[in-house]
Amino acid sequence: MRLLQFISSKGWRRMEENHASSIMGWFRQRFGKQRNDSDQVKACKRSQACSSRPPDPPACSSSSSSSSSDQPLPWALSSSFRSSLTYDVFVCHNEEDGDLAQGLASFLEAPSKGLRCYLQERDCPAGGAVSSELLRAVQDSHCWLLLVTPNFTRDEWCSYQMHQVLSEGPMSQRIIPAVLNMPRSQIPLELRFLYTVDLNASKEFGYALVYKAVLQYLKDMSEKEKPSGASQSDVSNRQHSSH
């Protein structure tokens, strides 16, 4: 009888243990699956957030834009011929066309262009004689730009400046008439034998033509200066070797 009680109690414990073990297994399976599911949801959300974030811009875009703005200036602008005079362009204009002259000078003096312009109202020193300073500026400029407008043709002071320019460099590449608001047939007779820049269609395009004309003159003269400089050095070397 006691043996049956021992066996029955032992069997009962084993049944309880099996029952408890099955309950624990159910809890592990249930809550472990929920935890795995939540981890997968979190991982999925992180991947979606990463994919929805816009890609970072490539580093080369900023460097390419900076490199385009930092392009070196043409070699003629660092030549000794160019440095021999203070200004690249003398701008002659009527005072009523001051905004036009200032816009052109700003275009030519931009860092990407690098030219040096003379504007009387800006660069003439205070207290100086206007005619003397004007003549000095004309002689100290490589090229002379004449802004030919109806105001220009009616201005005696512009006519005086025009004749000063023509006396300094007649029939040369240095004189650049730029015409605005008038046909070619109405420009002064003294300028009709020169190639003119038409600003009527597009000012920006005309400004670019002026820049090209000035730069071409500086290149041509700088090229002509190179052989003469080399020959002078050869002569000096021969003189030194003879001594």
Side-chain angles (χ1 to χ4, degrees), residues 7 10 14 26 49 52 67 84 87 96 100 106-108 124 130 132 140 143 158 161 175 205 208 221:
I7 293 174
K10 186 176 182 180
R14 185 173 297 170
W26 181 85
S52 62
S67 61
S84 61
Y87 302 102
E96 294 185 17
L100 175 65
S106 298
F107 177 88
L108 299 177
C124 184
V130 177
S132 300
D140 205 16
C143 296
C158 287
Q161 295 181 68
I175 305 174
F205 182 73
M221 298 306 297

mmCIF file of all heavy atoms in Angstrom, residues 7 10 14 26 49 52 67 84 87 96 100 106-108 124 130 132 140 143 158 161 175 205 208 221:
data_model
loop_
_atom_site.group_PDB
_atom_site.id
_atom_site.type_symbol
_atom_site.label_atom_id
_atom_site.label_comp_id
_atom_site.label_asym_id
_atom_site.label_seq_id
_atom_site.Cartn_x
_atom_site.Cartn_y
_atom_site.Cartn_z
ATOM 1 N N ILE A 7 4.624 5.434 -5.333
ATOM 2 C CA ILE A 7 4.653 5.492 -6.800
ATOM 3 C C ILE A 7 3.680 6.533 -7.313
ATOM 4 O O ILE A 7 3.984 7.308 -8.222
ATOM 5 C CB ILE A 7 4.319 4.105 -7.380
ATOM 6 C CG1 ILE A 7 5.423 3.119 -7.040
ATOM 7 C CG2 ILE A 7 4.111 4.176 -8.891
ATOM 8 C CD1 ILE A 7 5.113 1.684 -7.446
ATOM 9 N N LYS A 10 5.065 9.954 -6.618
ATOM 10 C CA LYS A 10 6.199 10.218 -7.519
ATOM 11 C C LYS A 10 5.677 10.510 -8.930
ATOM 12 O O LYS A 10 6.162 11.429 -9.620
ATOM 13 C CB LYS A 10 7.115 9.005 -7.524
ATOM 14 C CG LYS A 10 8.383 9.231 -8.304
ATOM 15 C CD LYS A 10 9.298 8.031 -8.193
ATOM 16 C CE LYS A 10 10.587 8.279 -8.940
ATOM 17 N NZ LYS A 10 11.504 7.115 -8.858
ATOM 18 N N ARG A 14 5.996 14.008 -11.088
ATOM 19 C CA ARG A 14 6.513 14.025 -12.465
ATOM 20 C C ARG A 14 5.494 14.690 -13.388
ATOM 21 O O ARG A 14 5.862 15.452 -14.291
ATOM 22 C CB ARG A 14 6.756 12.589 -12.911
ATOM 23 C CG ARG A 14 7.403 12.507 -14.300
ATOM 24 C CD ARG A 14 7.776 11.068 -14.598
ATOM 25 N NE ARG A 14 8.770 10.607 -13.647
ATOM 26 C CZ ARG A 14 9.146 9.332 -13.553
ATOM 27 N NH1 ARG A 14 8.551 8.410 -14.332
ATOM 28 N NH2 ARG A 14 10.071 8.975 -12.690
ATOM 29 N N TRP A 26 5.864 27.107 -23.274
ATOM 30 C CA TRP A 26 4.893 27.944 -23.981
ATOM 31 C C TRP A 26 5.206 29.427 -23.814
ATOM 32 O O TRP A 26 5.136 30.206 -24.766
ATOM 33 C CB TRP A 26 3.501 27.608 -23.442
ATOM 34 C CG TRP A 26 2.404 28.409 -24.135
ATOM 35 C CD1 TRP A 26 1.784 28.120 -25.293
ATOM 36 C CD2 TRP A 26 1.838 29.639 -23.661
ATOM 37 N NE1 TRP A 26 0.871 29.080 -25.615
ATOM 38 C CE2 TRP A 26 0.875 30.036 -24.625
ATOM 39 C CE3 TRP A 26 2.048 30.441 -22.530
ATOM 40 C CZ2 TRP A 26 0.119 31.203 -24.493
ATOM 41 C CZ3 TRP A 26 1.303 31.598 -22.405
ATOM 42 C CH2 TRP A 26 0.343 31.969 -23.380
ATOM 43 N N ALA A 49 14.041 54.157 -42.724
ATOM 44 C CA ALA A 49 14.489 55.525 -42.454
ATOM 45 C C ALA A 49 15.752 55.841 -43.231
ATOM 46 O O ALA A 49 15.929 56.930 -43.772
ATOM 47 C CB ALA A 49 14.709 55.717 -40.952
ATOM 48 N N SER A 52 14.803 56.276 -46.922
ATOM 49 C CA SER A 52 14.046 57.483 -47.225
ATOM 50 C C SER A 52 14.877 58.743 -47.095
ATOM 51 O O SER A 52 14.518 59.777 -47.633
ATOM 52 C CB SER A 52 12.826 57.572 -46.302
ATOM 53 O OG SER A 52 13.245 57.667 -44.944
ATOM 54 N N SER A 67 36.461 75.030 -58.579
ATOM 55 C CA SER A 67 37.531 75.011 -59.563
ATOM 56 C C SER A 67 37.176 75.833 -60.782
ATOM 57 O O SER A 67 38.034 76.449 -61.407
ATOM 58 C CB SER A 67 37.835 73.566 -59.973
ATOM 59 O OG SER A 67 36.686 72.975 -60.569
ATOM 60 N N SER A 84 53.240 97.451 -68.254
ATOM 61 C CA SER A 84 53.912 98.713 -68.579
ATOM 62 C C SER A 84 52.978 99.910 -68.473
ATOM 63 O O SER A 84 53.443 101.048 -68.343
ATOM 64 C CB SER A 84 54.497 98.641 -69.996
ATOM 65 O OG SER A 84 53.458 98.445 -70.960
ATOM 66 N N TYR A 87 46.338 101.123 -66.976
ATOM 67 C CA TYR A 87 44.980 100.709 -67.312
ATOM 68 C C TYR A 87 44.969 99.889 -68.603
ATOM 69 O O TYR A 87 45.789 100.101 -69.499
ATOM 70 C CB TYR A 87 44.055 101.925 -67.481
ATOM 71 C CG TYR A 87 43.992 102.808 -66.255
ATOM 72 C CD1 TYR A 87 44.705 104.010 -66.200
ATOM 73 C CD2 TYR A 87 43.231 102.443 -65.151
ATOM 74 C CE1 TYR A 87 44.656 104.819 -65.074
ATOM 75 C CE2 TYR A 87 43.177 103.247 -64.022
ATOM 76 C CZ TYR A 87 43.898 104.428 -63.986
ATOM 77 O OH TYR A 87 43.852 105.218 -62.870
ATOM 78 N N GLU A 96 25.506 111.295 -68.974
ATOM 79 C CA GLU A 96 24.174 110.714 -68.889
ATOM 80 C C GLU A 96 24.192 109.204 -69.151
ATOM 81 O O GLU A 96 23.207 108.512 -68.867
ATOM 82 C CB GLU A 96 23.236 111.402 -69.888
ATOM 83 C CG GLU A 96 22.978 112.870 -69.557
ATOM 84 C CD GLU A 96 21.953 113.496 -70.483
ATOM 85 O OE1 GLU A 96 21.214 112.723 -71.162
ATOM 86 O OE2 GLU A 96 21.867 114.732 -70.537
ATOM 87 N N LEU A 100 25.589 102.977 -67.920
ATOM 88 C CA LEU A 100 26.056 102.052 -68.956
ATOM 89 C C LEU A 100 27.564 101.846 -68.852
ATOM 90 O O LEU A 100 28.054 100.708 -68.930
ATOM 91 C CB LEU A 100 25.692 102.600 -70.335
ATOM 92 C CG LEU A 100 26.197 101.814 -71.542
ATOM 93 C CD1 LEU A 100 25.554 100.431 -71.590
ATOM 94 C CD2 LEU A 100 25.907 102.586 -72.843
ATOM 95 N N SER A 106 32.217 97.150 -64.758
ATOM 96 C CA SER A 106 32.050 96.063 -63.786
ATOM 97 C C SER A 106 32.198 94.706 -64.464
ATOM 98 O O SER A 106 32.770 93.774 -63.882
ATOM 99 C CB SER A 106 30.672 96.170 -63.118
ATOM 100 O OG SER A 106 30.548 97.380 -62.401
ATOM 101 N N PHE A 107 31.704 94.586 -65.675
ATOM 102 C CA PHE A 107 31.853 93.324 -66.424
ATOM 103 C C PHE A 107 33.325 93.050 -66.718
ATOM 104 O O PHE A 107 33.811 91.920 -66.528
ATOM 105 C CB PHE A 107 31.050 93.408 -67.722
ATOM 106 C CG PHE A 107 31.184 92.197 -68.598
ATOM 107 C CD1 PHE A 107 30.342 91.108 -68.439
ATOM 108 C CD2 PHE A 107 32.158 92.133 -69.595
ATOM 109 C CE1 PHE A 107 30.452 89.990 -69.252
ATOM 110 C CE2 PHE A 107 32.279 91.015 -70.408
ATOM 111 C CZ PHE A 107 31.423 89.944 -70.231
ATOM 112 N N LEU A 108 34.043 94.052 -67.179
ATOM 113 C CA LEU A 108 35.447 93.858 -67.552
ATOM 114 C C LEU A 108 36.351 93.675 -66.332
ATOM 115 O O LEU A 108 37.387 93.007 -66.424
ATOM 116 C CB LEU A 108 35.938 95.044 -68.383
ATOM 117 C CG LEU A 108 35.216 95.291 -69.717
ATOM 118 C CD1 LEU A 108 35.755 96.542 -70.388
ATOM 119 C CD2 LEU A 108 35.348 94.090 -70.634
ATOM 120 N N CYS A 124 39.642 109.871 -61.711
ATOM 121 C CA CYS A 124 40.335 111.154 -61.831
ATOM 122 C C CYS A 124 40.595 111.719 -60.435
ATOM 123 O O CYS A 124 39.667 111.842 -59.633
ATOM 124 C CB CYS A 124 39.498 112.129 -62.655
ATOM 125 S SG CYS A 124 40.333 113.708 -62.967
ATOM 126 N N VAL A 130 41.373 118.719 -65.292
ATOM 127 C CA VAL A 130 40.658 117.654 -65.983
ATOM 128 C C VAL A 130 41.342 117.299 -67.301
ATOM 129 O O VAL A 130 41.546 116.116 -67.616
ATOM 130 C CB VAL A 130 39.193 118.056 -66.224
ATOM 131 C CG1 VAL A 130 38.463 116.983 -67.021
ATOM 132 C CG2 VAL A 130 38.482 118.293 -64.912
ATOM 133 N N SER A 132 44.467 117.749 -68.242
ATOM 134 C CA SER A 132 45.776 117.123 -68.029
ATOM 135 C C SER A 132 45.617 115.686 -67.540
ATOM 136 O O SER A 132 46.326 114.773 -68.001
ATOM 137 C CB SER A 132 46.592 117.928 -67.014
ATOM 138 O OG SER A 132 46.797 119.251 -67.479
ATOM 139 N N ASP A 140 48.141 106.389 -70.586
ATOM 140 C CA ASP A 140 48.459 105.300 -69.654
ATOM 141 C C ASP A 140 47.495 104.124 -69.784
ATOM 142 O O ASP A 140 47.413 103.287 -68.890
ATOM 143 C CB ASP A 140 48.416 105.833 -68.209
ATOM 144 C CG ASP A 140 49.281 105.006 -67.258
ATOM 145 O OD1 ASP A 140 50.133 104.234 -67.749
ATOM 146 O OD2 ASP A 140 49.098 105.122 -66.034
ATOM 147 N N CYS A 143 43.996 100.290 -74.350
ATOM 148 C CA CYS A 143 42.906 100.419 -75.323
ATOM 149 C C CYS A 143 41.960 101.528 -74.887
ATOM 150 O O CYS A 143 41.900 101.888 -73.703
ATOM 151 C CB CYS A 143 42.137 99.102 -75.456
ATOM 152 S SG CYS A 143 43.112 97.734 -76.110
ATOM 153 N N CYS A 158 33.059 114.875 -75.058
ATOM 154 C CA CYS A 158 33.294 113.551 -75.631
ATOM 155 C C CYS A 158 34.011 113.665 -76.970
ATOM 156 O O CYS A 158 34.873 112.832 -77.298
ATOM 157 C CB CYS A 158 31.970 112.813 -75.815
ATOM 158 S SG CYS A 158 31.222 112.228 -74.276
ATOM 159 N N GLN A 161 37.661 114.186 -76.196
ATOM 160 C CA GLN A 161 38.296 112.923 -75.797
ATOM 161 C C GLN A 161 38.502 112.000 -77.002
ATOM 162 O O GLN A 161 39.539 111.343 -77.136
ATOM 163 C CB GLN A 161 37.432 112.213 -74.751
ATOM 164 C CG GLN A 161 37.310 112.955 -73.427
ATOM 165 C CD GLN A 161 36.469 112.198 -72.427
ATOM 166 O OE1 GLN A 161 36.863 111.128 -71.947
ATOM 167 N NE2 GLN A 161 35.299 112.728 -72.117
ATOM 168 N N ILE A 175 41.498 101.288 -80.513
ATOM 169 C CA ILE A 175 40.266 102.073 -80.451
ATOM 170 C C ILE A 175 39.072 101.143 -80.692
ATOM 171 O O ILE A 175 38.993 100.466 -81.710
ATOM 172 C CB ILE A 175 40.271 103.200 -81.491
ATOM 173 C CG1 ILE A 175 41.514 104.074 -81.319
ATOM 174 C CG2 ILE A 175 39.010 104.044 -81.374
ATOM 175 C CD1 ILE A 175 41.673 105.135 -82.388
ATOM 176 N N PHE A 205 26.414 90.458 -74.717
ATOM 177 C CA PHE A 205 27.200 89.930 -75.836
ATOM 178 C C PHE A 205 28.192 90.973 -76.330
ATOM 179 O O PHE A 205 29.342 90.659 -76.657
ATOM 180 C CB PHE A 205 26.262 89.503 -76.969
ATOM 181 C CG PHE A 205 26.979 88.896 -78.147
ATOM 182 C CD1 PHE A 205 27.528 87.623 -78.065
ATOM 183 C CD2 PHE A 205 27.104 89.597 -79.337
ATOM 184 C CE1 PHE A 205 28.191 87.058 -79.148
ATOM 185 C CE2 PHE A 205 27.764 89.047 -80.420
ATOM 186 C CZ PHE A 205 28.306 87.767 -80.329
ATOM 187 N N ALA A 208 31.110 91.154 -73.997
ATOM 188 C CA ALA A 208 32.027 90.042 -74.224
ATOM 189 C C ALA A 208 32.923 90.310 -75.437
ATOM 190 O O ALA A 208 34.115 89.959 -75.434
ATOM 191 C CB ALA A 208 31.238 88.747 -74.411
ATOM 192 N N MET A 221 50.407 91.965 -78.673
ATOM 193 C CA MET A 221 51.550 92.806 -78.310
ATOM 194 C C MET A 221 52.511 92.076 -77.389
ATOM 195 O O MET A 221 53.730 92.272 -77.466
ATOM 196 C CB MET A 221 51.055 94.096 -77.658
ATOM 197 C CG MET A 221 50.188 94.959 -78.566
ATOM 198 S SD MET A 221 50.967 95.360 -80.159
ATOM 199 C CE MET A 221 52.380 96.324 -79.597
#
